Amino acid sequence: MEARKIFLREDEMPRQWYNILADIKMNPPLGPDGKPITPDALAPVFPMNLIEQEVSTERWINIPEPVMNILRIWRPSPLVRALSLEKALGTPAKIYFKNESVSPPGSHKPNTAVAQAYYNKEFGIKRITTETGAGQWGSALSFACSQFGLECKVFMVRVSFDQKPYRKSMMAAWGGKCVASPSNETKAGRDALQKDPNTPGSLGIAISEAIEAAVTDESGETRYSLGSVLNHVMLHQTIIGLEAKKQFEKIGVYPDIVIGCAGGGSNFAGIAFPFVLDKINGKKIEIYPVEPAACPTLTKAPFVYDHGDTARYTPLLPMHSLGHAFVPPPFHAGGLRYHGMAPTVSQLVMEGLIEPKAVTQLDAYKAGIITTRSEGMIPAPETNHALACVIDEALKAKAEKKEKVILFNWSGHGLLDLMAYDKYLSNQLSNFELSEAEMLASEKVFADFPKPAIIKSR
Amino acid sequence: MEARKIFLREDEMPRQWYNILADIKMNPPLGPDGKPITPDALAPVFPMNLIEQEVSTERWINIPEPVMNILRIWRPSPLVRALSLEKALGTPAKIYFKNESVSPPGSHKPNTAVAQAYYNKEFGIKRITTETGAGQWGSALSFACSQFGLECKVFMVRVSFDQKPYRKSMMAAWGGKCVASPSNETKAGRDALQKDPNTPGSLGIAISEAIEAAVTDESGETRYSLGSVLNHVMLHQTIIGLEAKKQFEKIGVYPDIVIGCAGGGSNFAGIAFPFVLDKINGKKIEIYPVEPAACPTLTKAPFVYDHGDTARYTPLLPMHSLGHAFVPPPFHAGGLRYHGMAPTVSQLVMEGLIEPKAVTQLDAYKAGIITTRSEGMIPAPETNHALACVIDEALKAKAEKKEKVILFNWSGHGLLDLMAYDKYLSNQLSNFELSEAEMLASEKVFADFPKPAIIKSR
């Protein structure tokens, strides 16, 4: 019998992250004055050791031993051959995935949460604030903070706070404090509540609250943490792809296609960037970030300077953006409901190194059920977007009778998203399409911002 | 750094189950006439190949290749060194666990669900019925049936059906059909509804419905399946302990103490029986099944003949029983709310080969939180009972300055039980104690049944 799972021993784990900033040139983030922002300007928000990592152009960055030690709770994650999915599709393609759902919070998010908690602790920080939408990131940071004895405060968008009670219970189990946003604990929250006491909240308001709670703490012992988009977040996730490469080496295989879903970009970057490095060095490989058709950042939005948050607290970032005021339609994949994209991922699209795809909600859930009933595990709704693309490519390979090797990232499990599956199976889900008018309207918000340069790194 | 996880390769998986009936003598199950029941009498309920396995006294039974192939989706499960829990307790004890939460349904249950689905399929069965309380077993059987293309029908106790909507969604994702019990689909269900249209249901009624649905299907293509108690269920679970022994051999370690929580007995049997074999052969080892103090079958109830179900459909089984009409107080560990015990586990207690323990609800959840905040993963409420005993033993070892090796079974994750954690953390849980009067009252139901012999196998 062919093995389903390829493991690395813990002592075979990569000991360095791959920093793609060594291999591509980037437009700088801009401050409120339109000039490149300095590390010092970010000091009230992030600890300086993480800010240094954010701007580093070293290609390989050592993973600290205490971070390695916590990652080993679930890492190296298995590389899995999806034999049963292949059989269900009748494809000659060989489908592999990295199973990132095996982490305690159930997704790839703790890869960076653990690293960020460590660097904050090293810098003398006692308390981390963050926001969370659907709850994956808040869970991961609560877990990571519990490992380093840090306090964790999570502002969770009220509508999710009310609809997903399991997520706040999960954070509580790790000792994280989760409050519904808008809250009465910050000026931003109080202002929002005064405007509308019954507001469902938004990620924009939650970010504002989390940043405010960090920068206004007079002890100076609190910082803010972000779970995607930023360079150091992408960096910490590259352990996924670096492990995958080692696992493929063990069995003498190399992928033809690498696929990951993309919301803010972090799980995609994690699996893809180490393979982008090979592509830069001449390797022939296709790399696809997959986004929801209802939030088509990379596939339809322009490459611009825009804020990372609705409340315009962040610097201007060079990225594909639907506009910082864009509110995605209510499709069920919370981790992909983001108006922008990691600048590094956007830059790779601009350089033609990766080729974005978009899939509809119904195609995503269809792929999720095909996979659940063959491979057995229930994927996260975000992962279903990658799966829709994987199945598409596997069926193409079948039509062309080609034995292609496909690798994708199983970014998380769907055990806390079962309600959405229920809706899909009882025909209560539908697709969403954005009209040209909606696209144009949402783009107005960045019309007056500076324009990023079109850079070709080589 | 010491490794946290000890893996086996898939080709190192045990290829045989261990059958403890080769090494202990048992009282036979009795029919309605008080005489030992014949295999033929069970034929309308179970397929004959499983009935043969139920009564087999062969020590080693081959695991069929198609079963191995599905088990490899998550097996071999990791043997984990709980380094962070040891550190949190400051104990010199070395704590190891088998992580059975890595299966797609999240518990040890699919070890037997997959085997049972296979044997039913081999026997020409098209459809399996079962009951489920909290939902773990119904989920596992739905998963297993989807792997072999069988229909799966689950009667779920109404109160759980309403309170745990995620569980029925999970079954639906695998294609399982889950209905609230009592239902209108069976006579037993209709009778119960006529008596009380608002009944919350009970495991007793659900079992009656599932058995009735199987035996009344005129096509002859439907059978019933049980997730615990029976000999063949214990057999299929022994792969847990057999893997653990191989993993320990790899690192030159052997446990001093083996611990598993015990409701019907299957996860305990799974980890413990292979070590019981060693104990029979002269090895010095302590083996503790751990049950809830609020359902103290092994620690307080007598060893008697009693029915396995409230509705008295099953044969009389020789076991410790609180009485088939016993309704446990509403503590939060659904998998441990059972009035009886696997006859094999009961027999081992009678032979003095294993020593049962009981822990309270609050001690169990306290242990769960200590573990969640050190090891990182959130255990199932059932697993918390094992953990309370593990922590107790680890602290004893600390007091005695002994470097004991403790092995326990992490029977499942708590991701669909987070509400109970929430209640614990907000001080809404309490302990339950059974009065002597309650114990005596519940024992009346088996007063007139035959008495099992006290057997010492050697």
Side-chain angles (χ1 to χ4, degrees), chain B residues 14-75:
Chain B
R15 307 186 77 82
Q16 297 181 308
W17 292 301
Y18 166 56
N19 181 11
I20 202 158
L21 295 189
D23 293 295
I24 53 172
K25 299 193 188 82
M26 298 278 291
N27 286 278
L30 305 180
D33 55 1
K35 290 184 185 160
I37 199 160
T38 62
D40 281 349
L42 295 170
V45 183
F46 301 108
M48 193 48 77
N49 48 8
L50 274 177
I51 296 171
E52 283 162 11
Q53 212 165 57
E54 178 69 15
V55 299
S56 169
T57 54
E58 288 292 315
R59 183 169 289 115
W60 299 101
I61 294 181
N62 290 336
I63 309 177
E65 280 293 295
V67 173
M68 289 290 288
N69 186 40
I70 307 305
L71 294 180
R72 291 186 308 117
I73 288 177
W74 73 98
R75 303 207 76 86

Side-chain angles (χ1 to χ4, degrees), chain B residues 75-331:
Chain B
R75 303 207 76 86
S77 72
L79 177 70
V80 183
R81 173 86 183 270
L83 288 168
S84 302
L85 177 60
E86 292 171 15
K87 201 176 155 195
L89 300 173
T91 179
K94 294 184 175 179
I95 304 173
Y96 293 86
F97 62 87
K98 277 293 270 185
N99 184 0
E100 292 295 306
S101 76
V102 296
S103 75
S107 80
H108 67 291
K109 289 288 184 192
N111 293 329
T112 184
V114 169
Q116 291 191 46
Y118 166 77
Y119 286 112
N120 273 281
K121 174 88 172 183
E122 277 295 289
F123 195 69
I125 300 305
K126 298 279 196 310
R127 189 162 169 267
I128 303 184
T129 66
T130 198
E131 75 290 333
T132 200
Q136 281 281 17
W137 171 243
S139 308
L141 195 64
S142 295
F143 157 72
C145 285
S146 85
Q147 288 291 325
F148 289 102
L150 295 169
E151 282 179 53
C152 182
K153 179 66 171 268
V154 181
F155 293 88
M156 185 169 183
V157 178
R158 172 166 288 285
V159 59
S160 296
F161 185 90
D162 291 339
Q163 283 175 359
K164 300 200 163 193
Y166 275 40
R167 278 287 169 196
K168 61 187 183 236
S169 309
M170 198 179 201
M171 295 179 230
W174 284 305
K177 303 264 179 294
C178 177
V179 294
S181 167
S183 75
N184 271 311
E185 300 187 18
T186 65
K187 183 178 179 305
R190 286 187 297 271
D191 286 353
L193 286 171
Q194 200 169 21
K195 229 167 144 181
D196 176 5
N198 298 315
T199 174
S202 74
L203 209 51
I205 298 168
I207 293 177
S208 308
E209 287 208 275
I211 294 179
E212 185 186 324
V215 300
T216 59
D217 177 7
E218 291 177 4
S219 72
E221 292 177 339
T222 302
R223 289 295 182 279
Y224 166 75
S225 168
L226 192 64
S228 194
V229 179
L230 298 179
N231 301 337
H232 67 273
V233 179
M234 306 298 126
L235 174 79
H236 300 153
Q237 293 292 356
T238 58
I239 193 165
I240 303 171
L242 293 168
E243 281 182 5
K245 284 171 80 167
K246 278 197 165 193
Q247 285 160 315
F248 274 130
E249 271 167 33
K250 284 208 167 195
I251 53 171
V253 172
Y254 192 87
D256 298 298
I257 306 174
V258 176
I259 295 169
C261 61
S266 81
N267 99 79
F268 168 75
I271 196 150
F273 282 8
F275 292 96
V276 171
L277 173 59
D278 290 355
K279 189 165 185 171
I280 289 172
N281 290 330
K283 200 93 180 174
K284 196 177 164 310
I285 184 167
E286 305 296 315
I287 305 175
Y288 306 147
V290 186
E291 58 187 15
C295 192
T297 317
L298 290 173
T299 50
K300 291 206 174 166
F303 179 64
V304 296
Y305 265 119
D306 195 9
H307 291 286
D309 67 316
T310 317
R312 305 176 57 167
Y313 277 1
T314 75
L316 285 171
L317 301 171
M319 60 183 179
H320 293 80
S321 176
L322 290 156
H324 60 262
F326 178 75
V327 179
F331 62 88

Side-chain angles (χ1 to χ4, degrees), chain A residues 98-114:
Chain A
K98 277 293 272 184
N99 183 1
E100 292 295 306
S101 76
V102 296
S103 76
S107 79
H108 68 291
K109 290 287 184 192
N111 293 329
T112 184
V114 169

Side-chain angles (χ1 to χ4, degrees), chain A residues 295-297 301 320-324 326 338-340 434 439 442-443 446:
Chain A
C295 191
T297 317
H320 294 78
S321 176
L322 290 157
H324 59 260
F326 178 75
Y338 186 62
H339 70 276
L434 297 181
M439 294 281 293
S442 74
E443 288 173 12
F446 48 70

Side-chain angles (χ1 to χ4, degrees), chain A residues 1-8 10 15 65 68-76 80 83-84 102-106 143 146-147 163-176 369 372-378 413 415-419 421-422 425, chain B residues 1-8 10 15 65 68-76 80 83-84 102-106 143 146-147 163-176 369 372-378 413 415-419 421-422 425:
Chain A
M1 276 187 288
E2 233 167 328
R4 284 183 185 269
K5 306 181 294 299
I6 299 105
F7 281 106
L8 293 180
E10 290 175 21
R15 306 187 76 83
E65 281 292 295
M68 289 289 288
N69 186 39
I70 308 305
L71 294 181
R72 291 185 309 116
I73 289 176
W74 74 97
R75 304 208 74 85
V80 183
L83 289 168
S84 302
V102 296
S103 76
F143 156 72
S146 84
Q147 288 291 325
Q163 283 175 359
K164 299 199 164 193
Y166 275 39
R167 277 286 169 197
K168 61 187 185 237
S169 309
M170 198 179 201
M171 295 180 232
W174 284 305
I369 288 293
T372 295
R373 294 184 182 172
S374 51
E375 284 302 304
M377 298 186 300
I378 302 174
H413 62 63
L415 297 182
L416 299 188
D417 304 283
L418 285 162
M419 281 306 178
Y421 276 94
D422 231 23
L425 291 170
Chain B
M1 276 188 289
E2 233 166 330
R4 286 183 184 268
K5 306 179 294 302
I6 300 104
F7 281 107
L8 294 179
E10 290 175 21
R15 307 186 77 82
E65 280 293 295
M68 289 290 288
N69 186 40
I70 307 305
L71 294 180
R72 291 186 308 117
I73 288 177
W74 73 98
R75 303 207 76 86
V80 183
L83 288 168
S84 302
V102 296
S103 75
F143 157 72
S146 85
Q147 288 291 325
Q163 283 175 359
K164 300 200 163 193
Y166 275 40
R167 278 287 169 196
K168 61 187 183 236
S169 309
M170 198 179 201
M171 295 179 230
W174 284 305
I369 288 294
T372 295
R373 293 183 183 174
S374 51
E375 284 302 304
M377 298 186 300
I378 302 174
H413 62 64
L415 298 182
L416 298 188
D417 304 283
L418 284 162
M419 281 307 176
Y421 276 95
D422 230 23
L425 290 170

Side-chain angles (χ1 to χ4, degrees), chain A residues 195 201-205 207-208 294-295 297 301 304-314 316 319-329 337-341 434 437-447 449:
Chain A
K195 232 166 139 181
S202 74
L203 209 50
I205 297 170
I207 293 178
S208 308
C295 191
T297 317
V304 295
Y305 265 119
D306 195 8
H307 292 286
D309 67 316
T310 318
R312 304 176 57 166
Y313 278 180
T314 75
L316 285 170
M319 61 184 180
H320 294 78
S321 176
L322 290 157
H324 59 260
F326 178 75
V327 179
R337 296 169 53 81
Y338 186 62
H339 70 276
M341 183 53 64
L434 297 181
E438 282 173 302
M439 294 281 293
L440 287 173
S442 74
E443 288 173 12
K444 274 194 186 154
V445 296
F446 48 70
F449 296 159

